[in-house]
Structures are given as C-alpha cells and as structure tokens.
Amino acid sequence: MVTIYERKPHERQLGLSRRELLKRGGAGALLIISGTAIISPEHAWGLETSALKPETMATLIQVARDIYPHDQVPDKYYAIAVKGHDETAAKDPAHKELIEKGIADLDKKAGKGGYRGLGWEEQRVALLKEVEKTPFFQAVRGGLVVSLYNQKEVWPIFGYEGESFSKGGYIARGFDDIEWL
C-alpha cells in the first residue's frame, strides 16, 4: 500500500523544495565565499572585498535583491551596486561598523543559518521591515536607488534606452505615439 501525502495550498514548507531550487536556478543560485572574494561559478563573475567580510557582502547582495527584487536582473549587478559599501567602509570605520553590525543583526534575527539561510523571500522581507527605520537599512536602500539603477548594463533589462538627446529627443522619437489608447 502506498500512501500519498498531499500538502494543502495554505501549508508552507520551510526551506527549499527541489522544485523551488530548480526554479530559482538563474537568480542567486550559488555564491562561493573564498578568502576575501565572493564568486559565482555558474554565472562567471566575482567580487573581491577589501574592508567588509565576504560573508557580509554576500548577505548584502541578498538584502539588495530583497529590497529591490527583479528576478530578471542577475546577481552580478546587485554585487556591483553594493560594492560601494565596501569601498566606503575602507575609508570610513563608522560606515564599516554600520554595515557589519547591521548584517550581524539581521543574521541574529534570522536565527540558525542567518539571513541568507532563510528559504522564503517573505521571511527575509519581514526581517527587513523590522529594521527599515534603522540607519543601516536607510544607508543600504538609499545607496541602491542610485547604484543599481544607474548601471547602463541594467537599462536594457528594464526596456530603458537611456537618455534621448543623442538620439533626437523624445518628441522626434515617439512622444505622441499612443497606440495603446
């Protein structure tokens, strides 16, 4: 006799199922921390840290992805966006302490496995909501607004062509095209 267990739609399983792991494969699949570097072997990019711990930077990349979630944006662009915190931390010990302490606080609140160990985005977002008024969160969120969306390599992913002046301006390039109306 074979018993089949069916999970009701409202029941949530902690951790990642095989299906969820495969579904997430493209975004944030695996980051390897080695010495002072964070490496993504699947997507062939790496990030070297100089002031912040590599574990801190890896968690900061996940925090950035949770604050501004775009499944179609690869982790490397989030890594580039948070690299500024490492550069600032190298010059400013107070900033280094702010980031290291903020990440340590998130890891502590997350429990065993830390912030990156939480399998569900909803769990991570709930933790971020708890700390959203802190200077740590404000520094990370505020920096991401510019550092993530100012990367020209990211613009095509969102369908943004960039500035229009060099291409003749908006008026000559579809300002009054309202085919959708």
Side-chain angles (χ1 to χ4, degrees), residues 39-111:
I39 302 164
S40 175
E42 183 180 349
H43 301 288
W45 64 266
L47 173 72
E48 190 169 359
T49 62
S50 59
L52 297 173
K53 293 184 273 186
E55 296 83 5
T56 299
M57 288 298 287
T59 303
L60 206 51
I61 292 167
Q62 183 63 57
V63 167
R65 182 171 281 291
D66 290 336
I67 293 174
Y68 293 109
H70 300 288
D71 291 337
Q72 71 274 28
V73 177
D75 279 344
K76 83 174 182 180
Y77 297 113
Y78 285 97
I80 292 167
V82 298
K83 177 69 174 159
H85 289 290
D86 184 55
E87 293 165 356
T88 303
K91 300 173 198 166
D92 182 7
H95 188 75
K96 179 179 179 176
E97 183 181 351
L98 175 74
I99 300 299
E100 292 282 3
K101 191 174 179 185
I103 294 296
D105 184 45
L106 279 177
D107 285 340
K108 183 179 177 186
K109 287 177 186 287

Side-chain angles (χ1 to χ4, degrees), residues 130-149:
E130 287 180 30
V131 299
E132 70 183 338
K133 301 224 186 290
T134 65
F136 159 73
F137 182 87
Q138 294 301 317
V140 172
R141 186 200 54 81
L144 282 171
V145 169
V146 175
S147 61
L148 180 61
Y149 298 114

Side-chain angles (χ1 to χ4, degrees), residues 2 4 14 21 32 35 51 69 78 82 90 96 111 113 120 128 133-134 142 162 165 176-177:
V2 177
I4 299 174
L14 293 178
L21 180 66
I32 297 173
Y78 285 97
V82 298
K96 179 179 179 176
W120 296 101
L128 291 175
K133 301 224 186 290
T134 65
F165 178 76
D176 57 353
D177 291 350

